[in-house]
Each structure stands twice: as C-alpha cells, then as structure tokens.
Amino acid sequence: MAAAIGMGLPAAPATAGPSHGIAMYGAPALPEGFAALPHANPDAPRGGRIVFGEVGSFDSLNPYILRGRAPWGVQSLTVETLLGRNHDEPFALYGVLAESVETDAERSFVAFTLREEARFSDGSPVTVADVLWSIEALGTLGQPRYHTVWSKIATMEQTGPRSLRITFTEPDREMPLLLGLRPILQKAQFDGRAFDRSSLEPLIGSGPYVVDRLEAGRYITFRKNPDWWGRDLPFYAGQHNFEEIRYDYFADAGVAFEAFTAGHLTTWREGNVARWGHAYDFPAVTSGEVVRSEIPHSRPSGIDGLVFNTRREIFADWRVREALIHAFNFEFINRTLNDGALPRIASPFSNSDLGMGDGPPDARVRALLEPFADTLTPDALEAHALPVSDGSEGNRRNIRRAMALLEDAGWRVDGGVLRDADGTPFEFELLLQQGAAETQSIANIYAEALRRLGITLRTVTVDSAQFTQRTLAYDFDMTRRALSLSLSPGNEQWLYWGSQGVDTPGTRNWAGVNAPAAEAMIQTLLTARDEAEFTAAVQALDRVIATGRYWIPLWFSDVARIAHHRSLHFPDHLPLYGDWMGFQPEVWWHED
C-alpha cells in the first residue's frame, strides 16, 4: 500500500516526549549531552589516508536500487540517516540528522525534529521534504529491503518547519528505529531524473565524505568534506578521521592480497585462517611496517555456506538436502583449508544467546513451535545437530547415511548414476563469483564426494555483475551465501525468510524459504513486549531455519583478523557488537 503524505492524523496517544535517542527495549544507555560514543577516541588525530582492497567491480553510485552494483563506501561515507547506532548496545540509536525522536508505548508512530544546521554537501539544508521524499522513493523504487517498512506506513506529514510525524498501520516496536536508519537523499537531485536509474553521478548526501575520483570497476576515492556540517557533533567525536579513503578493486582475492603485500593497500581483512597462520612472513611484516590485529566481537555467527535454491525441484525434499549435508565432509575440508582451526556454524544465530542451543527447545520455544509441528522437519522439536565425520577423506559412515536418505526420497543408482523414478540424473550447478578461489577448492572436494553417490556437481564461474544479476533473480541451483546477523533482528528477517521472497526478485531469501512457522516467529519477535519473549521468538526462528536444511553451513570466526600498516590505529575500547560495521574505517585514524 502507499502511504498518505500530508493527510490528517488521529488524536495522538500519550508519549514520553522528544528524546535524544531511542532503544528497542527500555531507554538508551547514553545520556543526553554525551561527549562521544564509547568505542570512539575523541582525541584521535585527523588526516592521512586508508586504502582498502575489494574483490569484484562496480558500475553505479546508487547503492539503494536493484540496477547496478555500487561501492559500499557510498552509503557508509557520503549519506547520513536521521539516527545513528551505538555499537556498544544491541539496538540503540541517537540523533544525527534529527535532534530528537519521539514515539509512544505502543510504537504506533514516530516523530522527528531535524537539526537546523544539517546540510547536504552542496550547502543546501536537509529539509522535511527531503526526508519524506527519501522514505517514499526507497519504499517504492528502492531495493526490496525497504519495501516492508513502506508497507507499514499509514501516513506521513510535516508538522513544523523542521519536524515530521509518521504513523503506522500496526504497532511494531522496530519501526521507529528502522525509519531512523533510512538514508536521507536530496530530493532536488532527482527532479527530472528517475531514482531507480543506475548512474555514476555521485549522490548529494550529508555525510562526512564526497566522491573525489573514480574509474568504474577499478577504484574510487572519497575525500573529507571540509565544510561537513556534522564535524562538531558529539555523536561523531573521534569518527571519520581520515582525509582520504580509497577502495581498489581486483578480480580475485589472491591478486588483492598480493597488492597488500606489495604495499599498494594499507589494510587487509584476512578471511583465510590458514593464510593468517602461514603467509604473513613477507618483508613488511618482519620489518614491523605491517602489524596484525585480532579483534574479537560478540555477534551471532550468521550464515556462510552453500545455499540450496529450494525453488528447484531437485532440492524441494528436505531429505535430499539432508543427504547432501551428510555428504559434505566438513571436518576434512576444514582441516584442508583452515588447518581445522575454525568452528562450524550450527545455526544462523549460533555464538549468541539468540541461538537455538544444543539440546531440545525449552518450554517457551516449544510452545511457539508446536502449532506448526506438522509443517516442520521431524527433529525441529527435538535435539538437532549437524553430522560429524571421522575426518578421513572417505567419510564412509555419512556417505552411507546420505544414500539411505536419497533412497527414502525416491532416488536410485543405475549404472553408477543417481536417478529419480523417471530416470533423470541427479546433477546440479554451483554458481561461483569470479575470484572465489576458496569456494572453488571446497567445490572440488565436495564434487568428488558426490560422485560416490552418483551425483554430478558442475561449477559455473561468472563475473561480479552477472553473479549479482543471477542471484537477484534466483537463477542458480546452489551458490555460496554469506549473511551477517545482529543481536537486534527485526523486519529484515522478512527479506531473509519471508515467503514473499519466493517469487519476488531482489530479496535476500536466496534459499526460497516458504515456512509458515518462520513467518509466525518473525511476527512474534516484532511485537514482543519484553526481552524474554523476543529471545524465545528468535530462538524458535533459528530452529526453524536450521532444521529446515536450507544451506550447508561452513565456518565462522569470533575474531576479525586485520593486517594493516603500522600508521593505522584503532581505540583500545572495542565495540561490543561489531568488529567492522561502524568500526573500520569510522573510528580508525592515521598517526606515524
């Protein structure tokens, strides 16, 4: 539905009045007038540069639409939101473009008052009209992740020279926070220009940086705006310290790492634990010019693995998916690629209190799931664990179990080939993005294991643009999927697991999850009135997804491994809920 802009509003319920911040539950931890965020160093020097290496390419500077592929830095560096995160709290926001936020106990509306000094990079003021237009443009023409929030807006109106009010179609505790995090763009820039048209014209934002130089697909640099309106805002004290931030793009991670060892990049986030242990003996490390930092975090493990596209008939039966999970020799692959050093992802929210845990569900989680028992897999209400191999390459016990599951699902081996009742061979493709050397190594080992079952696995490698297009359209059998999750899950879960994503292109439901229990748990967590109810709903959702066998889980790390030039520094106080989001480059600085 479309929200009505400027319509009359019902009588306002009692509120607590405007506040400097808002939290999902209770009050925000930082008081009004705080000097800086806990994980920022307000005494950090300003200046210098940091150079990142990215794998892939870009052909657009609008990261908010489906068309094109834009650099991450555009949204994190050049565009601001009404409210901003404190990464020391699970989900608490403080005023940025907005000086205050107001809502009621039911979260039936939200009101914002803009800062009078807020300006876009061209010097024009950020107005209520810009805010209202941005919310509507994103909700109707932006990526699908913005559409759920738009569908829950009943009315939007300007209530004063710098104030606005938005009412919702239904109470939703997260809605005021989600709207506080909506990027605010300049309405005038899109007069006579379609918002959803891909372009290399830089967005006019209100953030600390502006696009300086670029070569599409090769590099982009961001320069600190000397007239940035927010430079003295306490929320930003100790943040955005670099004068220049550059992203160089490479065809694959191996080439990017070589660029780092040669000194062309000044920081490198290492995702390969084996390389971290064995490949950091190059001269810059031994001389001390490059240092290695291991930065812990408390986030959920999230998802990283080979995702089944259950829209494909071949993967529609959970027993088939379970068989392919048994055939995946995690212990052998982990030892081969990671020296066995990384733990396996057990479920999307594992490594946190929101995870389903090792045993059967507790009474509260069970009560949430029991109405859906007939739609869940047999072990959803029991203890669930991933198969474990003996570590040998043969993995014989799990291969036997995989064959038994496939036979139960109607598959038989004929002439060394696994076939269904119609004689169709079991074969599928693993879609890879160019430069995915690690995933190719995984696929090579996995393909050999599947061959013993009579299954043919082929890998297809495409460039980053084709990979984006095909995954947006769900045009794959299987691919590798990494998805970060937070300790404050909310409306974004519809995009990950909601049934609308089965047919709607561009959502993050790559697996094609279509589970009534998952949708019921999302609705429950969105309307929970206390943390206990919220936690139970997320644990139940975690259990539905994990026992649904929608992907073959790989590994995770509870530390970030970052190698960087010795002149790059970060604060002693680390953010509790993010080792990179809102951390690098935001609170890093350059000092020789």
Side-chain angles (χ1 to χ4, degrees), residues 356-385 517 521 536 539-549:
M356 68 177 188
D358 297 329
D362 64 23
R364 197 161 191 169
V365 173
R366 176 178 288 275
L368 290 171
L369 292 177
E370 280 181 336
F372 304 94
D374 291 344
T375 69
L376 299 172
T377 55
D379 60 349
L381 293 173
E382 307 298 335
H384 167 76
M521 297 312 109
Q539 290 175 342
L541 174 64
D542 193 55
R543 180 171 289 273
V544 171
I545 301 306
T547 59
R549 281 88 166 171

Side-chain angles (χ1 to χ4, degrees), residues 317-320 323 401-412:
D317 191 321
W318 74 268
R319 294 170 298 181
V320 170
R401 176 58 181 156
M403 182 56 73
L405 285 162
L406 290 167
E407 289 176 353
D408 288 345
W411 295 85
R412 297 289 184 274

Side-chain angles (χ1 to χ4, degrees), residues 47-88:
R49 71 197 295 255
I50 186 170
V51 184
F52 293 91
E54 296 287 331
V55 176
S57 182
F58 69 92
D59 56 9
S60 171
L61 291 183
N62 187 344
Y64 306 112
I65 59 175
L66 284 176
R67 294 185 178 93
R69 182 184 178 96
W72 166 255
V74 171
Q75 54 188 319
S76 62
L77 301 175
T78 72
V79 178
E80 286 179 309
T81 52
L82 296 168
L83 308 175
R85 280 185 182 273
N86 171 21
H87 290 279
D88 256 20

